[in-house]
Amino acid sequence: MLLITCPHCGERAQAEFTYERPVQTVIALDAPVEVAVETLYNRANPRGWSWELWRHTHGCGAWLKLHRHTATHEVAAVALLEAGA
Amino acid sequence: MSRLAAGGMVRRDRPVSFQFDGRTYQGLEGDTLASALLANGVRLMGRSFKYHRPRGALSAGVEEPNALVQVGQGGRFEPNTRATDLYLYDGLVAESQNRWPGLALDLGAVNGLISRFIPAGFYYKTFFGGPKAWLVFEHFIRMAAGLGKPPTRPEADAFEHRSAFCDLLVVGAGPAGLQAALQAARAGARVILVEQDRQVGGTICRDPALIEGQEGLAWAKAAGAEILAAGGRVLLRTTAIGYWDHDLVTLVERRVEAGQAPGLDGLSQRLWHVRAKRTILATGALERPLLFSGNDLPQVMLSTAVRTWIQRFGVLPGRRALVLAGDDDAYRTADLLQQAGAGVTLLELRQTTTVPGQPFPVLTDVKVIKATGGAGGVRAVEITVKGQRQTLDCDLVAMAGGFSPVVHLHMQAGGALDWHEADGSFRPVSPRQNQICCGAANGTAGLAETLAEAQAEAAAVLLTLGFNRPDLAPPSVQSAGSSGPGLPGLPLASHGRAKTTFVDFQNDVTLSDIDLAWREGYRSVEHLKRYTTLGMATDQGKTSNILGLTQLAALEQRPVPAVGTTTFRPPYTPVTIGALAGAAAGGHSAPRRRMPLHDQHQALNPLWQPLGYWDRPRAYPRPGETLHQAALREARATRTTVGLTDVSTLAKFDIQGPDAGVFLERVCATRVRQLAVGRGRYTFMLREDGLLMDDGTVWRLAEDRWLLTSSSGGADRMAAHLSYVRKVLAPELKVSIANVQEHWAAVACAGPLAASLIAPLLIDGAAPAHMGLGRGVLDGTPLLVLAASYSGERAFEIYLAADQSAGLWRHLADKVLAADGALYGLEALEILRIEKGHVVVGGEIDGRTTPGDLGMAKMLRPGGGYFGAQALQRPALQAPGRVQLVGLEAMGSVIPEGSMLLTAPGAAPEGHVTAAGLRVLQGGSIALGLLRNGEARLGETLLACSPTRGVTTPVKVVSTVFHDPAGERYRG
């Protein structure tokens, strides 16, 4: 179980969080049809570092961006979604 | 009796009575089941998995593959318990496994005679014969599969979870672990020391030594006491079962033995989640067996196990012993056997003896051909000495095949292994998390060396954690003999019959199985493992993996590390499911949510139905009424007079802000924004892939305040979805969302009398028009009245603060019943909506249908811009030939729920029945269904076929609205 440092709440167990999706699978509401369908169905499955959306569902509720290694589960960075890029 | 006159760590003044296979025996406190059985002369403890060969205890510890028993009775029953890892208690009841009808006479043993028909990969091979072959084999496989029986009763005792944090977690309280934990405790670090045995000491319990001038066990106990006194935690009978990500280690603490009644707290086991800054893995090493024909006979044991029986339990397992020496450790066993009064011959498998001048006979350059014997144990061993054949009589064979460090937790933590050819072992290297292997687990031999290493590792850990460490020298040690290196190139060469040379004892994998798998092309260790089932039993190959790998490497003519290892997965030893569940069992396995009006419903003794996490009344039967009769009465009352139902579980979101309307149009696929204040409408939402997700209603309460309702079961999903759209896709919008599902209760009042019944509650004294809203008040509580109809009748949903809802319910229930109406539950709701042709999430909105499929394409908002709009354009979702919602009218018998829709008997299905109901007032079976090109097939006659119910009946395709197609009734 990962230990995730929520910018609001500090170190918390993974059980408090919900994994949502890799950042690059987000489909903008105004994305062209081709882009939306491509993003929906042709997804990379990287072995390595990945930026992901998580939510501190059973904590402060914040949307977070995690930089996580998909093979080793190391977490290099946790940022609030609002903090940009 | 094999109990020695003195010695051992058992309480000779405390006899313990227990049962094994129906017979009562006496053991001593401190015995394991296995040691007590051996003390009673019981050598046969189980039958093997596949061939039902007689087996005794191979080991004296948790690695035991053979002596598996089922323990306890009723709610305290546990199968596959190792007799060597089960401490005796008064009243223990154990039974051997894998035998029928009895252990001594086992009819399954004929499997041994037909072993050539059940070779490696037998299960897989049965699949190649086509379905018919599988039908033949299935019965046989199911009879033979599995080890013990599953429990038949629910768990009687409690389990709990607990979390802990510390500076240093030490796994294993042998010399290395004790020394490391002691150093850390003295330095003031928070320490948790974990030991799977019920006492500290580890190998000291079988190999006495003098440490710091003290008897070893006394030193160990003093160390444990000092750690406790310094504020550390020492958890005995506790196994570290898994090393997970981010240095989380899970421990299972056995408060009582398997099958034993717990103390006053009722607690059977405790699962710990421990996060430590550093973890020292002092998990020791396991001895390996040797390979020869008949190496699985009872009384053929690991050499260290023999020492454990004698030193720890005061049991001499045999009187004419042969010790097979693959390493120098064997000499200790031979020595101890002789001291205990047994006749011993040491058979040195190496060319010459490395430890000359022994008081017992030593034969060198020995090759073991086979052991012979039966259910009573080994009787003789055939060997060659310098090429000359000999047969030696014996009643005990000790195998010293070298040691494998216990690297399981290290591997689980992401560490790697390094092969050491000299002693044929994998040693831990490259830790990825904060784990440190120490002592025998690190391949270190010798007590002094182990203590010194533990001292150094603990010092290094304390330094990195910022503790001032006491600068102590490692303890001085005197011990008899030391474990030397094993056989160069491993004692693998087998000289007997490969078919009866066992590698994996628990899964009955022999050398010939590995040879066969290799010949059939299973060259990768991962393939070999799955094909032969090597290492896949409950012991996870603790004694067999290295032997199997070495054999594969020999066949491949490659070095062992090039062949690779398989993955070590948690748990290290089997864990009962109850421990993993903890308190989250039965009614606590999922949160139960109660509606605010739960007590009011309960007083009416309804039939309850789970809906998501909620319980809702399904119907309120009168005495003598069936569910169906009650639901029909409730539905008829709603159609003819008035009905009242609780809809508090509906998802409800209070959405406010200048951009609230814009936000709703991002979420909802219908027109929303131009809705006038005080009006509402039906809406639905799509998933990212363009399929329907949910539906509900949206209401404009004020210029910039809206209420969104959606399905009860999808409420949590909808809350997350709204948050995603708000925070990730449309962060620029000025809008706030409050989930008010549990804050607002809601009751629905429907029927021809509904408007007159609720009008007095409204401030302006008039019921709102259909899809309009009104404000009311009852006893000072504000009411929001929404004129929405799901039943097809004129209907109102009345929202109010949840904690005030009882008053409104009582008020309306009295009026409804006085007007000859009825309270109705989910079943009547379903009957009413089917007759009206309304769809439901989980029914017609089944994760496969689009708005077009359900006849709602015209409601889609042109121009898109809503969630899922792009994917809805996918050709497959627009193509002709999709299923479409239709109504079905029975032409014969009642339409069965879930039927296939066919054009002719035996034809391919063209759709299915999603919901079956009836005409509420007129009677007659009707249904809703999804039918290919359904909208164009009105009037067609099809067959509704339910093979599971054995019913096929003709149906006519009709419009989805059976009741009031003009919509005059709900407009009022």
Side-chain angles (χ1 to χ4, degrees):
Chain A
M1 190 187 293
L2 311 189
L3 200 59
I4 297 171
T5 308
C6 171
H8 290 143
C9 312
E11 275 194 342
R12 298 299 182 93
Q14 183 186 347
E16 294 187 8
F17 297 82
T18 313
Y19 166 83
E20 295 288 343
R21 54 169 74 206
V23 167
Q24 66 268 27
T25 65
V26 172
I27 300 172
L29 286 165
D30 57 359
V33 171
E34 299 71 29
V35 174
V37 173
E38 178 71 15
T39 312
L40 190 58
Y41 289 104
N42 293 325
R43 295 187 174 188
N45 184 15
R47 181 188 166 87
W49 289 100
S50 166
W51 279 101
E52 297 166 342
L53 287 181
W54 288 65
R55 200 156 58 97
H56 197 184
T57 320
H58 305 292
C60 62
W63 283 84
L64 305 172
K65 283 203 331 181
L66 254 73
H67 201 210
R68 183 180 70 98
H69 195 285
T70 57
T72 66
H73 300 308
E74 290 163 274
V75 176
V78 186
L80 287 176
L81 189 62
E82 286 85 345
Chain B
M1 291 292 283
S2 323
R3 187 83 68 180
L4 292 162
M9 298 162 199
V10 283
R11 294 287 301 265
R12 286 167 190 272
D13 56 335
R14 291 205 190 156
V16 176
S17 168
F18 69 100
Q19 265 189 39
F20 177 67
D21 280 349
R23 274 193 62 183
T24 302
Y25 298 92
Q26 298 280 315
L28 298 175
E29 189 181 305
D31 261 329
T32 59
L33 174 62
S35 73
L37 286 173
L38 284 174
N40 281 284
V42 178
R43 296 160 166 187
L44 176 64
M45 298 187 197
R47 288 273 174 175
S48 76
F49 178 57
K50 207 153 91 176
Y51 305 127
H52 291 233
R53 288 171 65 94
R55 296 279 169 85
L58 171 73
S59 74
V62 298
E63 72 271 36
E64 177 58 34
N66 287 340
L68 299 186
V69 293
Q70 37 204 31
V71 195
Q73 288 161 319
R76 296 197 177 100
F77 178 88
E78 200 166 311
N80 301 336
T81 303
R82 299 159 302 280
T84 53
D85 185 28
L86 171 67
Y87 284 98
L88 222 52
Y89 54 89
D90 228 8
L92 181 148
V93 178
E95 267 191 73
S96 57
Q97 300 183 163
N98 288 341
R99 45 61 172 180
W100 186 86
L103 192 53
L105 170 72
D106 176 16
L107 295 181
V110 296
N111 284 3
L113 305 177
I114 57 161
S115 65
R116 71 191 174 93
F117 300 116
I118 41 178
F122 168 69
Y123 292 179
Y124 296 106
K125 283 168 184 165
T126 59
F127 294 117
F128 290 113
K132 290 237 171 75
W134 171 248
L135 292 178
V136 172
F137 287 121
E138 184 185 4
H139 173 73
F140 170 72
I141 287 176
R142 296 218 187 278
M143 276 278 287
L147 292 161
K149 293 186 193 119
T152 53
R153 303 283 306 277
E155 210 31 84
D157 303 317
F159 296 85
E160 73 172 21
H161 290 182
R162 195 179 272 193
S163 296
F165 303 85
C166 60
D167 296 311
L168 180 66
L169 170 68
V170 180
V171 180
L178 276 168
Q179 179 66 15
L182 186 61
Q183 296 310 301
R186 280 180 181 167
R190 289 183 304 165
V191 178
I192 297 178
L193 174 63
V194 177
E195 171 54 51
Q196 64 193 2
D197 205 338
R198 59 151 59 164
Q199 66 179 50
V200 296
T203 52
I204 300 173
C205 300
R206 67 161 193 251
D207 295 327
L210 284 177
I211 302 176
E212 307 251 62
Q214 280 186 83
E215 196 263 311
L217 207 60
W219 173 84
K221 282 179 180 161
E226 191 179 337
I227 294 162
L228 272 178
R233 211 194 276 273
V234 180
L235 296 173
L236 297 177
R237 211 72 185 107
T238 302
T239 308
I241 57 162
Y243 199 129
W244 312 87
D245 296 311
H246 295 193
D247 290 298
L248 176 74
V249 179
T250 45
L251 319 172
V252 170
E253 179 188 1
R254 264 172 289 187
R255 308 271 296 172
V256 289
E257 295 298 315
Q260 190 177 14
L264 284 177
D265 60 4
L267 193 59
S268 174
Q269 295 187 18
R270 185 180 275 150
L271 182 75
W272 291 79
H273 294 104
V274 180
R275 295 254 191 207
K277 289 182 184 159
R278 295 286 185 282
T279 299
I280 286 187
L281 302 173
T283 43
L286 296 176
E287 198 169 34
R288 292 188 293 257
L290 292 162
L291 297 180
F292 51 88
S293 175
N295 60 346
D296 65 324
L297 282 168
Q299 294 294 100
V300 178
M301 319 178 162
L302 296 175
S303 158
T304 47
V306 171
R307 295 214 296 280
T308 304
W309 301 133
I310 298 172
Q311 290 284 11
R312 171 113 189 225
F313 300 106
V315 172
L316 183 61
R319 305 215 160 254
R320 289 167 298 130
L322 299 176
V323 179
L324 309 182
D327 64 9
D328 290 353
D329 193 62
Y331 289 80
R332 282 185 174 186
T333 306
D335 205 42
L336 185 62
L337 276 166
Q338 194 180 45
Q339 283 175 36
V344 185
T345 304
L346 187 134
L347 308 179
E348 179 57 81
L349 304 178
R350 295 169 289 191
Q351 298 292 316
T352 55
T353 175
T354 54
V355 198
Q358 296 294 340
F360 40 78
V362 175
L363 303 177
T364 56
D365 194 10
V366 172
K367 292 181 172 56
V368 183
I369 307 299
K370 74 170 177 186
T372 53
V378 65
R379 280 192 295 272
V381 174
E382 279 181 34
I383 57 171
T384 64
V385 183
K386 295 184 169 46
Q388 299 295 310
R389 221 171 233 268
Q390 285 191 25
T391 299
L392 302 176
D393 287 346
C394 62
D395 63 358
L396 176 69
V397 174
M399 302 183 281
F403 291 89
S404 302
V406 175
V407 292
H408 298 65
L409 294 172
H410 169 77
M411 287 282 284
Q412 289 168 19
L417 298 178
D418 193 22
W419 176 250
H420 278 241
E421 192 70 34
D423 56 5
S425 70
F426 278 106
R427 294 188 186 179
V429 289
S430 314
R432 202 179 65 211
Q433 302 191 42
N434 289 312
Q435 85 262 31
I436 302 129
C437 290
C438 191
N442 197 29
T444 305
L447 185 55
E449 293 86 342
T450 293
L451 288 169
E453 183 183 307
Q455 173 87 18
E457 292 291 4
V461 164
L462 292 169
L463 203 65
T464 58
L465 294 181
F467 287 95
N468 292 319
R469 63 190 171 89
D471 202 14
L472 299 171
S476 64
V477 168
Q478 272 179 279
S479 75
S482 72
S483 309
L487 275 182
L490 270 186
L492 232 194
S494 167
H495 311 283
R497 208 168 155 251
K499 254 189 191 325
T500 45
T501 301
F502 285 81
V503 180
D504 183 327
F505 292 68
Q506 198 166 101
N507 263 352
D508 268 355
V509 180
T510 65
L511 264 190
S512 71
D513 289 325
I514 295 176
D515 295 348
L516 177 69
W518 183 80
R519 287 202 309 276
E520 292 184 356
Y522 294 87
R523 306 291 163 92
S524 145
V525 61
E526 295 289 350
H527 290 161
L528 180 89
K529 167 184 167 176
R530 283 159 182 80
Y531 196 60
T532 61
T533 70
L534 175 80
M536 290 178 73
T538 66
D539 66 345
Q540 289 194 43
K542 287 186 178 65
T543 53
S544 64
N545 272 342
I546 300 285
L547 298 181
L549 275 181
T550 316
Q551 178 67 9
L552 179 63
L555 293 166
E556 285 274 286
Q557 298 185 320
R558 287 198 290 163
V560 173
V563 172
T565 59
T566 57
T567 313
F568 292 90
R569 291 192 178 84
Y572 173 63
T573 48
V575 177
T576 191
I577 297 289
L580 302 180
H588 298 289
S589 59
R592 256 280 147 253
R593 297 182 187 170
R594 284 188 163 195
M595 303 166 76
L597 293 169
H598 183 91
D599 292 344
Q600 280 70 26
H601 298 308
Q602 187 60 63
L604 300 167
N605 198 24
L607 292 168
W608 291 99
Q609 181 173 338
L611 185 76
Y613 289 124
W614 304 89
D615 276 335
R616 270 179 68 165
R618 190 172 182 187
Y620 303 87
R622 289 175 177 164
E625 265 185 346
T626 63
L627 165 68
H628 180 76
Q629 288 165 342
L632 193 58
R633 171 180 53 75
E634 294 166 10
R636 282 183 174 156
T638 306
R639 287 262 185 268
T640 52
T641 55
V642 62
L644 185 70
T645 191
D646 184 351
V647 293
S648 296
T649 62
L650 279 176
K652 300 179 273 293
F653 300 94
D654 185 350
I655 298 172
Q656 304 187 39
D659 291 333
V662 181
F663 171 74
L664 280 166
E665 288 209 334
R666 301 273 195 272
V667 175
C668 301
T670 64
R671 285 198 174 89
V672 177
R673 240 192 305 178
Q674 61 272 59
L675 203 60
V677 172
R679 299 288 300 164
R681 68 167 43 145
Y682 174 78
T683 189
F684 50 80
M685 305 82 176
L686 304 187
R687 308 193 312 198
E688 197 157 48
D689 60 3
L691 297 169
L692 279 163
M693 172 163 68
D694 210 329
D695 69 348
T697 55
V698 60
W699 303 83
R700 192 163 198 174
L701 305 181
E703 186 58 33
D704 56 2
R705 186 176 182 193
W706 304 68
L707 173 68
L708 175 71
T709 71
S710 56
S711 71
S712 304
D716 294 347
R717 176 183 58 189
M718 185 56 66
H721 181 61
L722 294 179
S723 179
Y724 177 70
V725 175
R726 161 82 184 84
K727 288 288 201 175
V728 181
L729 299 184
E732 73 285 357
L733 297 182
K734 292 183 178 128
V735 58
S736 82
I737 306 157
N739 183 348
V740 293
Q741 184 188 24
E742 300 187 32
H743 304 76
W744 294 4
V747 297
C749 187
L753 303 180
S756 63
L757 222 129
I758 63 116
L761 294 173
L762 285 136
I763 291 169
D764 59 8
H770 181 62
M771 295 318 278
L773 67 84
R775 307 276 177 178
V777 67
L778 178 70
D779 299 335
T781 303
L783 309 174
L784 176 66
V785 182
L786 308 179
S789 173
Y790 194 51
S791 57
E793 302 302 322
R794 182 92 161 104
F796 305 88
E797 291 174 1
I798 306 166
Y799 291 73
L800 75 169
D803 58 351
Q804 301 297 316
S805 57
L808 177 72
W809 176 260
R810 266 196 306 273
H811 174 87
L812 286 176
D814 287 349
K815 283 187 158 187
V816 163
L817 295 176
D820 216 14
L823 309 178
Y824 66 100
L826 284 174
E827 196 70 16
L829 196 76
E830 179 75 358
I831 295 172
L832 292 166
R833 76 95 187 166
I834 293 169
E835 193 182 24
K836 188 63 191 164
H838 283 154
V839 296
V840 70
V841 178
E844 293 73 26
I845 299 180
D846 64 354
R848 295 177 293 181
T849 45
T850 66
D853 299 342
L854 301 189
M856 306 191 296
K858 280 188 193 141
M859 295 176 67
L860 285 166
R861 197 169 72 250
Y866 48 86
F867 194 85
Q870 297 104 322
L872 186 59
Q873 307 305 312
R874 286 184 292 146
L877 299 191
Q878 303 292 334
R882 292 186 61 81
V883 292
Q884 288 167 330
L885 185 68
V886 294
L888 300 165
E889 179 101 53
M891 311 275 288
S893 59
V894 172
I895 306 171
E897 187 96 36
S899 299
M900 305 184 284
L901 295 173
L902 313 175
T903 50
E910 305 218 359
H912 68 280
V913 172
T914 56
L918 75 171
R919 291 184 191 275
V920 172
L921 297 179
Q922 302 91 327
S925 167
I926 57 170
L928 296 176
L930 289 166
L931 176 66
R932 186 171 302 151
N933 293 325
E935 281 173 14
R937 297 171 73 169
L938 295 188
E940 200 176 316
T941 301
L942 297 169
L943 293 174
C945 170
S946 172
T948 54
R949 290 183 174 84
V951 175
T952 299
T953 184
V955 294
K956 190 166 144 192
V957 181
V958 295
S959 152
T960 57
V961 186
F962 296 89
H963 175 70
D964 183 28
E968 286 156 356
R969 295 181 68 89
Y970 61 77
R971 290 198 185 90

